[in-house]
Amino acid sequence: MRLLITGAAGFIGSHLAERFLADGHHVVGLDNLSTGSMDNLASIKDSDSFECVIGSVRDQSLVTELVDQCDVAIHMAAAVGVKYILERPSYSIHTNVNGTENLLHAASGRDKLVLIASTSEVYGKSTKTPFNEADDLVLGSTANMRWSYACAKALDECLALAYAQESKVSTIITRLFNTTGPRQTGRYGMVVPNFIEQAMSNEPITVYGSGDQSRCFSHVADIVEAIVKIINVPKAVGQVFNIGNDQEITIEGLAQMIKDMTDSKSEIIKVPYEQAYTHGFEDM
């Protein structure tokens, strides 16, 4: 099987590429390296079964060419991280929405399977737990650019389902929850690598708000396993799936766990929650 992975040089995309290659498939990776890195592909870049294309999902002709060559397209490319979204909101929205539409348009009229990686962020401020794929989405004000990512990903889902209905594109939507593991960077505000970096440097570990907010974190290997399995289930086509862990930990508890595991002398400090987005850090 030939697979196209957009965002292949990213955190999750690179792990997916490794897994599909290990399973004997041919992988074409597309990435513009805006947030991804060729270092993430170091273990597979010389494989005869891997092709790396430096380019953007915003390039419709390129996306069409690559989709035409593959059986399955897994769309991981996106502008991610609160810090990145706040710094470049219009670019982020356009990349997320236009890139998804280009991929779906390229698959239209062709016998291709397209998996769209969405996010748990689309649930927004909803307090109903556990989240169900059929739940209403409760987003914040559009005046707060923090919500632009969730809005764009929700629109991605609507586009995917519209193309499935109107153009018979075989689509699967996966809402990925908090994922962590090797190669994740704290550069764009991801909490686990930021906590680890602070702990390893014996700098204060910064917890925004009370620290009582709880999250569920999944290892990237488990997320990859779920995606590998789901694309092989015919009944999954046309459906939306949450992919994550059900074991909660508070953000303060996460900070303490990382401090203990690294034998760090760092102090855990709390700062007002509103500063989280001013500084571009996530409590995810």
Side-chain angles (χ1 to χ4, degrees):
M1 179 167 61
R2 287 178 62 91
L3 297 104
L4 168 64
I5 300 177
T6 68
F11 164 48
I12 300 177
S14 61
H15 284 278
L16 273 170
E18 285 181 342
R19 173 57 188 275
F20 282 118
L21 287 170
D23 288 347
H25 302 296
H26 188 100
V27 174
V28 178
L30 173 65
D31 205 296
N32 69 355
L33 304 181
S34 60
T35 55
S37 170
M38 289 302 296
D39 291 342
N40 291 338
L41 302 173
S43 67
I44 59 174
K45 65 182 179 65
D46 295 325
S47 170
D48 292 337
S49 297
F50 178 67
E51 301 174 45
C52 183
V53 179
I54 307 301
S56 173
V57 290
R58 300 169 71 189
D59 184 339
Q60 184 171 348
S61 61
L62 175 60
V63 170
T64 300
E65 177 185 346
L66 296 180
V67 168
D68 195 48
Q69 297 171 6
C70 296
D71 306 301
V72 177
I74 298 180
H75 186 37
M76 305 298 301
V80 295
V82 169
K83 181 176 175 60
Y84 194 83
I85 301 302
L86 291 178
E87 288 176 349
R88 305 186 68 187
S90 61
Y91 173 83
S92 300
I93 294 169
H94 190 268
T95 296
N96 291 345
V97 176
N98 182 250
T100 298
E101 184 173 22
N102 283 345
L103 191 68
L104 291 166
H105 181 77
S108 182
R110 298 174 172 85
D111 186 21
K112 313 289 182 180
L113 174 64
V114 178
L115 182 140
I116 303 293
S118 186
T119 173
S120 60
E121 283 285 295
V122 299
Y123 289 107
K125 296 183 175 183
S126 176
T127 57
K128 178 181 176 296
T129 56
F131 293 136
N132 183 284
E133 291 86 345
D135 288 342
D136 289 339
L137 308 182
V138 185
L139 300 181
S141 169
T142 55
N144 185 345
M145 282 297 151
R146 181 256 184 274
W147 294 107
S148 62
Y149 175 68
C151 290
K153 298 304 282 187
L155 182 53
D156 284 351
E157 293 190 19
C158 291
L159 279 170
L161 295 173
Y163 269 87
Q165 176 181 318
E166 297 173 7
S167 303
K168 309 305 178 186
V169 177
S170 297
T171 59
I172 300 171
I173 297 168
T174 55
R175 291 175 180 165
L176 306 185
F177 282 67
N178 306 297
T179 306
T180 191
R183 301 186 206 131
Q184 187 176 43
T185 175
R187 190 184 313 154
Y188 303 106
M190 305 307 182
V191 66
V192 171
N194 272 310
F195 279 4
I196 292 173
E197 182 178 352
Q198 291 169 341
M200 294 292 288
S201 302
N202 289 313
E203 297 175 354
I205 300 176
T206 306
V207 172
Y208 289 94
S210 67
D212 294 332
Q213 62 271 36
S214 61
R215 299 291 184 268
C216 299
F217 294 87
S218 299
H219 193 277
V220 64
D222 294 325
I223 299 301
V224 166
E225 183 68 22
I227 291 174
V228 168
K229 288 183 176 179
I230 207 167
I231 66 170
N232 289 299
V233 178
K235 289 184 179 179
V237 173
Q239 304 296 317
V240 180
F241 297 93
N242 291 330
I243 299 181
N245 186 5
D246 62 358
Q247 298 179 28
E248 294 184 51
I249 186 171
T250 66
I251 298 302
E252 184 175 14
L254 175 67
Q256 186 63 55
M257 182 178 71
I258 290 173
K259 176 180 176 178
D260 293 343
M261 292 179 70
T262 57
D263 195 26
S264 174
K265 296 180 175 58
S266 294
E267 177 188 4
I268 297 175
I269 63 171
K270 298 177 182 178
V271 299
Y273 194 75
E274 58 267 20
Q275 292 184 26
Y277 303 119
T278 302
H279 290 83
F281 288 102
E282 298 184 12
D283 63 3
M284 293 172 53

